[in-house]
Amino acid sequence: MTNSQQLKPETGADSFFATDIRVGRVLSVEEFPEARKPAYKIKVDFGPAGVLQTSAQVTNYPAEDLKDRLVVGVINLGRKRIAGFTSEFLILGSYDAEGAVHLLSPEPQASPGDLVG
């Protein structure tokens, strides 16, 4: 196994269920030239949870392909400052063997704010 495929230590269900994972719809995508690694600034509508922003290293997707896309995000991890930008949630995806991100996608009938669990 490569480092990215190594299993993490076992954790309790309480740790997992403490995360608030929701469906959101991408509202806007902007270049983020200040980031150390290529990234976008992304705003996502999470329905009743509001509109949140994040920095994401998903530049293997053209920005126009991300607009209006349904995504999955963890919205209760707290804020983090990245190159002067406040990231408010973690967008979820998987990494392939080359390190490219593949965003998790809910079914088309999902709605912003739907709980993932």
Side-chain angles (χ1 to χ4, degrees), residues 53-113:
Q53 63 184 12
T54 192
S55 166
Q57 296 173 5
V58 294
T59 55
N60 54 303
Y61 292 91
E64 59 273 8
D65 289 354
L66 294 173
K67 178 92 170 65
D68 296 320
R69 179 187 175 125
L70 288 175
V71 294
V72 176
V74 183
I75 65 169
N76 68 332
L77 296 176
R79 296 173 178 213
K80 182 177 179 182
R81 296 286 291 172
I82 301 168
F85 175 78
T86 301
S87 185
E88 300 172 313
F89 76 96
L90 175 67
I91 197 165
L92 296 180
S94 63
Y95 293 97
D96 66 19
E98 286 78 41
V101 176
H102 301 281
L103 292 173
L104 299 184
S105 297
E107 293 292 323
Q109 62 271 27
S111 297

Side-chain angles (χ1 to χ4, degrees), residues 33-55:
E34 300 86 2
R36 279 185 283 144
K37 294 182 180 179
Y40 291 132
K41 294 177 184 178
I42 301 173
K43 285 190 181 178
V44 175
D45 175 10
F46 285 100
V51 174
L52 301 175
Q53 63 184 12
T54 192
S55 166

